[in-house]
Amino acid sequence: MEVDLNSRNAKWNREQKKRREQARCKIEAERQKRVAAAKAREALESLQQQKRVERLAESERQAEQLLEEQRLTGGIKYVQELRPFPTVGDGDKITLPVSALEALNPQNALELGVFTFELWVTEMGTELSEVGTVKRRTHAGVLEFVAEEGTVGLPPKVAASLFRQMKEQPPATIHVRFVQLEQGKFARLQPRGDGFGDRQIDLKHLLECALQTHTTLTEGDVLFVRHGRETFEWTCVHVKQWSRLKKIRSGWS
């Protein structure tokens, strides 16, 4: 009989120990769930806070972009993707289709003074991104509005400024946007090639004459200066205060 009681006591003790272990495991599991839930809430709150910060930053970026767009365009909206074709002549005045004038006139663009445009070429996005990145940009005035619809005529200076540094073939289309430019104060030009110092040429006079046919200057632009049958090339390496400007008054320093 004693053996049987001892066996029952041992069994009861094992069951009690098992129940205590199960209770402990249950409590520990619930504690871990609470810890995991707290961490999940913290992660969610952190993610929500990050999204709020990102939305605020995006709103500020869009507001700044809108202000910059307003400053650049004066509220005039004209952006087109056009097929370039070569034209002749000195200077930087492009030829646009009549639809450009029809789009600008109702917006009172003439009240802003001389028409100036931003031109740029883009590199198409890769498989990772479909957004094009700007490869080169320049600026120009306009000669007339007689180009075929969907096209833009580029004189040699503008074409060279856009495409000179490109290793591949020029793109089929370029972007053209109406912009307002600041009046220029200073520009630094650098001759391309050799032989300038060996010639008895009034470079100041030649440059001043060449600039009379230009409406704008942009850093990186190529300028062609003609002297008799020869053509000299110059690069605009710096402008003040922006990287693009309306033509500076002719001067020499």
Side-chain angles (χ1 to χ4, degrees), residues 125-180:
T126 63
E127 294 180 358
L128 298 178
S129 173
E130 295 181 357
V131 179
T133 56
V134 175
K135 296 190 67 174
R136 175 73 183 113
R137 71 175 71 241
T138 189
H139 298 80
V142 61
L143 180 63
E144 50 189 356
F145 296 89
V146 296
E148 181 183 345
E149 288 301 323
T151 68
V152 55
L154 306 183
K157 180 265 180 184
V158 176
S161 297
L162 274 178
F163 306 138
R164 176 65 62 89
Q165 301 300 325
M166 297 182 65
K167 296 180 180 179
E168 64 273 15
Q169 289 294 324
T173 60
I174 65 172
H175 295 83
V176 180
R177 176 173 68 159
F178 178 89
V179 293
Q180 283 186 293

Side-chain angles (χ1 to χ4, degrees), residues 1-158:
M1 189 67 178
E2 290 181 1
V3 174
D4 185 58
L5 288 175
N6 289 335
S7 176
R8 288 184 177 182
N9 286 335
K11 181 179 179 181
W12 184 84
N13 288 334
R14 287 195 300 271
E15 291 176 349
Q16 287 293 100
K17 184 178 180 180
K18 182 178 180 180
R19 283 194 289 270
R20 286 195 298 270
E21 181 64 21
Q22 289 175 342
R24 188 191 67 79
C25 291
K26 183 178 180 180
I27 293 172
E28 178 63 19
E30 291 176 351
R31 187 190 69 80
Q32 291 181 0
K33 287 181 180 179
R34 289 194 297 271
V35 171
K39 289 182 178 180
R41 284 195 301 272
E42 291 177 0
L44 180 60
E45 291 173 357
S46 177
L47 180 61
Q48 291 174 340
Q49 176 65 19
Q50 181 181 352
K51 288 184 177 180
R52 285 193 293 269
V53 171
E54 290 175 352
R55 285 196 296 268
L56 180 60
E58 178 63 17
S59 297
E60 292 177 351
R61 187 193 66 80
Q62 290 180 356
E64 291 176 357
Q65 186 177 18
L66 185 61
L67 288 174
E68 176 67 7
E69 184 75 13
Q70 179 70 22
R71 187 188 68 79
L72 281 175
T73 66
I76 307 299
K77 294 183 179 180
Y78 178 79
V79 182
Q80 292 292 324
E81 188 172 357
L82 303 173
R83 300 189 309 276
F85 68 90
T87 61
V88 297
D90 298 328
D92 65 348
K93 293 180 176 60
I94 61 176
T95 305
L96 288 170
V98 68
S99 59
L101 185 61
E102 293 172 347
L104 293 169
N105 272 343
Q107 302 182 70
N108 299 320
L110 284 171
E111 296 180 2
L112 299 179
V114 177
F115 284 172
T116 49
F117 296 86
E118 179 184 37
L119 297 83
W120 72 92
V121 294
T122 59
E123 181 179 17
M124 295 306 297
T126 63
E127 294 180 358
L128 298 178
S129 173
E130 295 181 357
V131 179
T133 56
V134 175
K135 296 190 67 174
R136 175 73 183 113
R137 71 175 71 241
T138 189
H139 298 80
V142 61
L143 180 63
E144 50 189 356
F145 296 89
V146 296
E148 181 183 345
E149 288 301 323
T151 68
V152 55
L154 306 183
K157 180 265 180 184
V158 176

